Amino acid sequence: QVQLQESGPGLVKPSETLSLTCTVSGYSISSGYYWGWIRQPPGQGLEWIGSFYHSGSPYQNTSLKSRVTISVDTSKNQFSLKLSSVTAADTAVYYCAKLSLTLYFDYWGQGTLVTVSS
Amino acid sequence: IQLTQSPSFLSASVGDRVTITCRASQGISSYLAWYQQEPGKAPKLLIYAASTLQSGVPSRFSGSGSGTEFTLTISSLQPEDFATYYCQQFNSYPLTFGGGTKVEI
């Protein structure tokens, strides 16, 4: 059974960089599938941030322009999200997830709330 | 690709048949998934490829459609089904979600 767990600071100051890590258990990231990040502002809907194939380059939501960096550490079976120059609009619950080979989300982490405030 | 769900809110009773619609701004074949999200929890995959039930999901949930119009049907609403439902297209990047349908008592 694949399990994902997000970790990182719950409070980030405006203009700084949000950094989150997703730790995967029950499956090796390097073995396959896509992995990614989704966020959900309080009381709002879901927004895809970006995804990557285990051996490929990440795809990112162009709405976030060049603020997003997704990286992988296969030795720790983790992948990470960095979102730079954050504003209050980036306050959200951030989820990491496993995607199927056809790109729907079949396993989700529990989510972590990140608040952007001074 | 924009996904428009209707209705945004739905009031129903236990035992009711409920139908939620998701319309895509362009054709997406059958590359559509449905998720259920309970308050404070992560979304849960219900259906993928428009009509394929995810393992472990009760058979009262069903999906249909292709192209630009899709539906999620709950044949007999149960107390644990009161939640928010989202559709998601995986035909092309960027992956997008519908705005959600909240099913209330």
Side-chain angles (χ1 to χ4, degrees), chain B residues 9-63:
Chain B
F9 296 93
L10 189 161
S11 293
S13 301
V14 172
D16 283 354
R17 181 181 180 88
V18 167
T19 298
I20 298 169
T21 297
C22 178
R23 289 187 173 87
S25 59
Q26 63 188 75
I28 58 171
S29 186
S30 295
Y31 295 111
L32 189 96
W34 289 97
Y35 303 87
Q36 175 193 64
Q37 187 177 35
E38 298 176 53
K41 294 190 175 181
K44 171 189 171 184
L45 176 66
L46 297 176
I47 287 169
Y48 60 93
S51 61
T52 303
L53 204 64
Q54 173 72 343
S55 175
V57 174
S59 59
R60 63 181 179 272
F61 290 94
S62 64

Side-chain angles (χ1 to χ4, degrees), chain B residues 63-90:
Chain B
S64 64
S66 67
T68 61
E69 188 154 335
F70 302 85
T71 58
L72 171 70
T73 299
I74 309 172
S75 60
S76 178
L77 202 63
Q78 297 303 298
E80 60 268 31
D81 301 337
F82 291 95
T84 301
Y85 294 84
Y86 293 93
C87 56
Q88 177 239 329
Q89 66 83 19
F90 48 99

Side-chain angles (χ1 to χ4, degrees), chain A residues 80-99:
Chain A
S80 298
L81 169 70
K82 291 187 186 300
L83 181 64
S84 62
S85 305
V86 297
T87 69
D90 295 310
T91 294
V93 174
Y94 286 77
Y95 296 99
C96 61
K98 172 190 167 293
L99 295 83

